[in-house]
Amino acid sequence: MTTATVAHDDHAHHGPPSGIKRWLFSTNHKDIGTMYLVFALIMLFLGGASAMVIRAELFMPGLQLVQPDLYNNLLTNHALIMIFGAVMPAAAGLANWMIPLMIGAPDMALPRMNNLSFWILPAAALMLILSFIVPFFPGGGSQINTGWTLYPPLSLQVGMSMDFLIFALHLLGISSVLASINIIVTIFNMRAPGLRMMQLPIFVWAWLVTAFLLVLVVPVLAAGITMLLFDRHFGTSFFIAAGGGDPVLFQHIFWFFGHPEVYILILPSLGVLASILPTFSRKPLFGHHSLIGAMIAIAALGMIVWAHHQYTVGMSLAAVQYFMLMTILISIPVGLIIFNYMMTMWRGAMTFETPMLFTVAIILMFSFGGLTGVMLAVVPADMQYHDSMFVVAHFHYVLLPGAVWGLFAGVFYWLPKWTGHMYDERLAKTFFWVHVVSFNITFFPQHFLGLAGMPRRIADYNIMFTEFNMISSVGAFFFGLSHLLFLYIIIKTVRGGEKAKARAWEHAEGLEWEVDSPPAHHTWTTPPKIKTA
Amino acid sequence: MERQPDARRHPHGRIVLWLGALVIGMFGFGFALVPLYELYCQVAGIPTVDQQRALNVQAAAGTGEVAEDRWVTVRFDTTVHPSLPWAVESQERSMRVQPGEMHEVIFVASNRSSRAVTGQAVPTVIPWRANDFFNKTECFCFQKQTLEGGERREMPLRFVVSPALPDEVTYVTLSYNIMRLDDTVAKVTE
């Protein structure tokens, strides 16, 4: 591991400009990171609100609250806001805050582009929200009832709100591609002298791999939705069967982006765990190099398995066999990461502060989601599970622990660094338990529902599914409410609390703990000296 | 500032340029998937609609003798897209046929609106491996059909099931998706 001799002194000869200008024109990685995180938190509550309506509708069979079109509009909106509005910006927020601190850089390599890539987001979010709202106005056309996958021919028949959505996705894509380019250049060029690539913390590596994935696949999504736009307005027939096109082609293009996107969501969070585990296990991270290799392997394999999302479209046997085997192969590098993390804890002097609690829960729950993923990868089994609630349970078990909890853990871990205050450990532990238990109450029954045959994306269901749906909905309401506690803890920590030391956690390692808590507006203007062990 | 430039590292601009080129390349790759997908279908033996048509004609020409000892049930199914104000039904729901024999079935289409509307039928044969052995010698799906307002038309389909049909196939379903051809789509298909 790398250690640094303390080599910083706060010559904050100019602080940030005051008022709104500080945020609007900011080129400071810390301020932009904060804005990303705040934006993601707002989106988390928006996306969560739509999920609450979905679960309220599913509390009982029949249609109570919302009509099927609105229901499908809500779940489209829920997915897109959570993926593009909450998880990706939150991960980008962590990257902005932590990567320069971790590699001893004074800022991101391209600070003005950093500003641009953040400020595209609110505009994109506005378009995304408009795509949800527009159908409620006279002449607004039909609602987006396609789900986040936007499959034609249905997406060709949706009204103008689909155009809002397509442009929102274009903007979100531009934002994340710019952010990724910035991160790659920063990691390649801005490391403190003597800090070699293989010495970089796993979080930095995770983001490097993620950024490359984003650069590779987001443009493909942009191409796909551009073709959709052309089909809708300019008389082309990329996806119109009557004009010689093929709707299945869109599914291939979409999932060529969509499957790597899953790893884009998960890898940064898995990287966060690699920072947390050694701190609270009081042992160095197990298998630093193999973790880097595993992440690269996941990214590479993740790009060539997309069609396992569409086993049922009628591919040839050879094709589904290939996609099945490749998909199952991914469980090897993922398993390697899990085992490395377990070996880090093995015989460590562990304590269970909130970030560590989340980490342990992630290793448990994410593995569980991974196992149902292997079930879904098996073609004959998937023919049964396809488009059922089992799939919904599976990807929530992967994405909540794998992506969201990792971000929560990172926020709790680095909050003392950002704010200079320790958070309220008792409240945070309460949040953890309510959150994790209600998560399981919400999503575990959905496995049974799916296996019993309840389809996803439908507002109504057979009365035989009532009990499990009621349990799931009750769990979901507690789950949703628990986030208010999370918000309260953050606000409380920002406003005050026990003073945090520079090294906020007893055994925390890494350059980010060499600067003050909170860090000065500009850090590492003199690069740290790297000693190699 | 005070930072020592590290001689081993590249200028920012060059990396940004490389990554930018990668982004544009991947955007192009998205579009390249259209011909690549067609190529993949060729390699994997999944025929496009046009190739299927050619195959049909080709295979139909070669039919000779009738397989006397074999019976196959052919079922007909029609789905009319909601945007097309037509009703289309086959006069017979299913037929028992002998491979090699020519059969005719009439589909009746009626335009329930008062205006002339153009539609196009897109056939699908299930199971898929029966596709190559189901030969349509005459089909209303070969051309677009225009029905005047309120018009009712009998449209014939003539077909031969090839004797080369794999033995285990005893049922074949011919399913038509009938879609509206508005002006933009009609231009593309011409």
Side-chain angles (χ1 to χ4, degrees):
Chain A
M1 284 303 295
T2 60
T3 51
T5 50
V6 179
H8 83 283
D9 52 323
D10 301 327
H11 46 122
H13 38 260
H14 67 282
S18 55
I20 185 77
K21 280 185 177 172
R22 167 172 179 183
W23 305 105
L24 216 49
F25 303 129
S26 179
T27 54
N28 180 284
H29 74 99
K30 300 181 189 77
D31 283 355
I32 291 175
T34 305
M35 287 196 289
Y36 265 116
L37 289 166
V38 170
F39 174 83
L41 194 59
I42 295 169
M43 288 291 130
L44 180 76
F45 277 91
L46 273 181
S50 43
M52 290 299 104
V53 181
I54 290 169
R55 273 324 314 174
E57 174 56 48
L58 291 180
F59 185 73
M60 285 201 295
L63 300 176
Q64 284 90 29
L65 281 179
V66 293
Q67 291 303 304
D69 258 351
L70 177 55
Y71 177 87
N72 287 358
N73 194 0
L74 278 165
L75 65 85
T76 308
N77 194 262
H78 166 71
L80 290 167
I81 285 195
M82 284 303 193
I83 293 167
F84 291 100
V87 175
M88 286 167 72
L94 289 186
N96 259 293
W97 251 105
M98 301 321 296
I99 289 176
L101 290 183
M102 282 176 158
I103 67 175
D107 208 307
M108 298 295 279
L110 309 156
R112 288 198 180 87
M113 197 161 94
N114 207 10
N115 176 291
L116 178 65
S117 58
F118 173 76
W119 279 109
I120 290 174
L121 278 183
L126 193 68
M127 293 282 269
L128 192 59
I129 293 163
L130 276 175
S131 79
F132 175 75
I133 293 174
V134 156
F136 297 104
F137 289 94
S142 58
Q143 311 207 34
I144 300 179
N145 43 17
T146 59
W148 82 293
T149 49
L150 312 178
Y151 283 177
L154 189 54
S155 57
L156 297 172
Q157 294 158 21
V158 174
M160 69 164 95
S161 52
M162 183 56 76
D163 302 318
F164 278 95
L165 181 55
I166 288 172
F167 284 123
L169 288 176
H170 273 135
L171 286 177
L172 290 161
I174 291 169
S175 163
S176 52
V177 164
L178 291 181
S180 303
I181 290 176
N182 206 347
I183 286 167
I184 294 171
V185 178
T186 305
I187 296 172
F188 279 173
N189 274 359
M190 303 285 284
R191 279 169 286 133
L195 185 59
R196 285 177 291 119
M197 286 299 283
M198 292 310 280
Q199 289 176 299
L200 290 175
I202 292 298
F203 176 73
V204 179
W205 262 104
W207 246 110
L208 184 65
V209 174
T210 305
F212 267 107
L213 275 179
L214 279 162
V215 164
L216 287 172
V217 300
V218 167
V220 177
L221 172 73
I225 56 177
T226 304
M227 286 184 240
L228 211 54
L229 198 68
F230 282 15
D231 273 9
R232 287 168 57 82
H233 296 293
F234 303 123
T236 58
S237 292
F238 287 108
F239 309 127
I240 303 175
D246 190 342
V248 176
L249 171 63
F250 181 83
Q251 302 187 12
H252 284 285
I253 296 175
F254 181 85
W255 286 112
F256 187 86
F257 149 81
H259 194 71
E261 172 71 15
V262 177
Y263 300 109
I264 290 167
L265 299 173
I266 290 170
L267 282 177
S269 292
L270 290 182
V272 170
L273 302 193
S275 287
I276 294 172
L277 275 165
T279 303
F280 298 105
S281 306
R282 290 159 184 83
K283 271 179 65 195
L285 187 66
F286 185 89
H288 189 265
H289 284 26
S290 66
L291 279 170
I292 295 171
M295 287 191 299
I296 294 172
I298 289 172
L301 284 172
M303 293 208 50
I304 52 174
V305 295
W306 69 92
H308 64 215
H309 294 268
Q310 7 162 165
Y311 282 151
T312 54
V313 296
M315 284 181 290
S316 67
L317 187 61
V320 292
Q321 273 173 338
Y322 161 80
F323 284 114
M324 174 170 83
L325 292 174
M326 281 304 182
T327 305
I328 296 173
L329 203 61
I330 296 183
S331 59
I332 293 173
V334 175
L336 192 121
I337 291 181
I338 299 290
F339 279 117
N340 274 0
Y341 287 174
M342 281 169 22
M343 287 308 288
T344 307
M345 291 191 282
W346 180 251
R347 292 189 169 175
M350 289 164 71
T351 50
F352 295 95
E353 285 81 354
T354 310
M356 188 61 170
L357 280 178
F358 268 110
T359 303
V360 176
I362 290 163
I363 291 172
L364 209 66
M365 302 288 147
F366 176 68
S367 306
F368 187 82
L371 284 177
T372 53
V374 176
M375 290 169 72
L376 287 167
V378 178
V379 179
D382 180 74
M383 297 283 170
Q384 286 294 313
Y385 310 146
H386 186 85
D387 253 344
S388 75
M389 289 300 277
F390 188 83
V391 177
V392 176
H394 156 69
F395 68 70
H396 282 95
Y397 262 87
V398 172
L399 287 180
L400 267 151
V404 180
W405 293 3
L407 298 168
F408 282 166
V411 166
F412 281 117
Y413 185 60
W414 285 312
L415 205 54
K417 173 58 57 190
W418 301 336
T419 62
H421 306 296
M422 294 304 284
Y423 59 85
D424 187 327
E425 190 67 60
R426 200 174 48 86
L427 277 183
K429 278 186 176 159
T430 312
F431 166 66
F432 168 81
W433 284 111
V434 176
H435 188 81
V436 170
V437 170
S438 58
F439 161 79
N440 280 290
I441 296 173
T442 309
F443 291 106
F444 206 79
Q446 296 182 5
H447 290 109
F448 307 136
L449 288 170
L451 293 178
M454 178 174 161
R456 64 191 277 223
R457 289 178 169 173
I458 293 177
D460 191 5
Y461 53 82
N462 192 303
I463 48 168
M464 69 185 262
F465 301 125
T466 311
E467 284 80 5
F468 278 135
N469 268 305
M470 281 187 167
I471 296 170
S472 179
S473 287
V474 170
F477 299 142
F478 280 104
F479 185 68
L481 287 175
S482 75
H483 292 82
L484 294 174
L485 185 56
F486 177 65
L487 183 66
Y488 174 73
I489 294 166
I490 290 183
I491 292 172
K492 196 175 166 210
T493 314
V494 170
R495 301 181 66 154
E498 191 194 326
K499 202 86 191 72
K501 292 194 281 281
R503 193 174 300 275
W505 306 104
E506 205 182 343
H507 293 274
E509 296 245 7
L511 289 177
E512 76 262 36
W513 303 107
E514 308 288 336
V515 297
D516 285 337
S517 303
H521 198 56
H522 297 287
T523 42
W524 298 134
T525 44
T526 318
K529 292 205 168 59
I530 307 296
K531 282 193 299 192
T532 45
Chain B
M1 282 193 267
E2 309 93 323
R3 289 176 72 84
Q4 296 296 313
D6 195 326
R8 290 170 307 149
R9 293 180 189 164
H10 307 286
H12 293 346
R14 198 186 302 169
I15 302 178
V16 173
L17 224 58
W18 275 107
L19 292 171
L22 194 61
V23 169
I24 292 165
M26 289 311 288
F27 187 69
F29 174 74
F31 283 89
L33 278 173
V34 178
L36 283 175
Y37 178 67
E38 212 157 287
L39 188 74
Y40 168 78
C41 287
Q42 270 171 21
V43 173
I46 303 168
T48 63
V49 180
D50 290 340
Q51 288 163 340
Q52 185 56 48
R53 231 171 257 172
L55 271 175
N56 285 344
V57 175
Q58 205 180 359
T63 49
E65 60 217 54
V66 178
E68 298 285 349
D69 52 343
R70 215 178 143 198
W71 290 93
V72 176
T73 308
V74 181
R75 295 186 281 210
F76 305 102
D77 173 53
T78 53
T79 309
V80 182
H81 192 272
S83 65
L84 186 67
W86 287 7
V88 184
E89 291 269 333
S90 57
Q91 278 183 340
E92 279 161 281
R93 281 300 176 144
S94 71
M95 280 175 131
R96 275 174 59 77
V97 303
Q98 287 194 303
E101 240 177 359
M102 176 81 72
H103 288 273
E104 190 182 72
V105 61
I106 304 290
F107 283 72
V108 182
S110 47
N111 184 350
R112 291 191 290 199
S113 78
S114 52
R115 283 169 297 113
V117 184
T118 305
Q120 167 89 51
V122 178
T124 310
V125 175
I126 299 159
W128 283 33
R129 65 200 147 146
N131 210 346
D132 291 348
F133 308 100
F134 193 91
N135 311 309
K136 296 182 280 295
T137 52
E138 188 188 333
C139 177
F140 53 92
C141 59
F142 292 166
Q143 296 103 31
K144 57 181 181 177
Q145 303 284 338
T146 305
L147 292 190
E148 297 303 321
E151 188 188 341
R152 184 174 173 285
R153 185 183 297 170
E154 296 192 345
M155 305 187 297
L157 161 73
R158 232 173 254 132
F159 66 92
V160 182
V161 176
S162 163
L165 182 75
D167 281 340
E168 65 272 22
V169 181
T170 51
Y171 284 92
V172 176
T173 303
L174 174 64
S175 173
Y176 280 111
N177 269 300
I178 300 126
M179 290 183 253
R180 188 187 186 118
L181 278 187
D182 48 30
D183 296 340
T184 49
V185 179
K187 239 180 276 166
V188 175
T189 46
E190 266 159 21

